[in-house]
Amino acid sequence: YLRPSPLGVDAEYAWNFLGCEGENVTIFDIEGGWEVSHADFPSFVFQSGNTDDPDFREHGTAVVGQMVAVKNNYGITGIANKAKIGAVSFFDGGVTNAIGLAISKAKKGDVVLLELQARGPGSGDSCECNCGQFEQIPMEYWQSNYDIIETAVKRGVIVITPAGNGSMDLEA
């Protein structure tokens, strides 16, 4: 993922430019679990809720590692390996509250990664692939989430959400 396309995002090239390793940025990851004491991780600057749910720990850890794993002599290196990381679990208070909390902590230029999606309206289609996530859509479909995300973006916070795992045409 660090190398040029099609194998990655060419992070190793980007690191030649000032600020391209995530300096002065905090990434707030909204998920259900992480191995926060992982040897490749920087110290988490913020944690909220149950950060150790076993059903989500591996996925959350993998994503955080790809983003911010420190550059050292072992393990992996994150794309933004000098960024700070915060973890906000959606288990304590729900998704909308987790989004609001992460965004309330973020400053202009920070990133909120919403690693969640949910089943949306039925499409009438039949599942052909990835049926466990079929018809799931981004969380901003629901107005309360959309409003919080829109406010954050207007403040200069970068919000990232999944869009394709549910095999839905989001234009429809």
Side-chain angles (χ1 to χ4, degrees):
Y1 60 94
L2 300 177
R3 297 197 168 62
S5 178
L7 301 175
V9 298
D10 213 0
E12 292 170 331
Y13 174 74
W15 293 340
N16 292 305
F17 301 93
L18 183 64
C20 289
E21 288 184 87
E23 300 89 336
N24 302 314
V25 171
T26 301
I27 301 171
F28 295 91
D29 188 26
I30 302 172
E31 171 62 279
W34 307 262
E35 183 65 52
V36 296
S37 61
H38 193 285
D40 251 349
F41 289 176
S43 295
F44 281 58
V45 297
F46 182 78
Q47 294 179 52
S48 176
N50 175 16
T51 60
D52 195 33
D53 186 277
D55 292 333
F56 290 86
R57 185 182 322 123
E58 288 183 12
H59 187 265
T61 300
V63 170
V64 167
Q66 290 174 359
M67 292 188 298
V68 301
V70 294
K71 193 185 290 186
N72 53 29
N73 294 324
Y74 56 89
I76 66 168
T77 299
I79 293 168
N81 57 75
K82 292 184 180 174
K84 297 177 185 130
I85 188 73
V88 181
S89 173
F90 65 88
F91 282 120
D92 301 331
V95 173
T96 302
N97 287 334
I99 296 169
L101 178 58
I103 287 170
S104 75
K105 300 293 182 185
K107 66 183 185 330
K108 183 177 182 177
D110 284 347
V111 175
V112 172
L113 172 60
L114 182 54
E115 284 195 64
L116 302 169
Q117 55 189 5
R119 185 141 339 268
S123 65
D125 295 336
S126 59
C127 180
E128 297 176 19
C129 171
N130 194 18
C131 295
Q133 295 184 32
F134 182 64
E135 294 185 327
Q136 291 194 359
I137 58 175
M139 299 309 294
E140 65 265 22
Y141 172 80
W142 291 273
Q143 192 65 48
S144 58
N145 297 336
Y146 179 88
D147 292 343
I148 295 169
I149 292 169
E150 181 180 44
T151 300
V153 171
K154 286 180 179 177
R155 286 185 26 231
V157 174
I158 299 161
V159 180
I160 302 169
T161 66
N165 294 354
S167 302
M168 293 291 92
D169 176 359
L170 298 178
E171 294 299 322

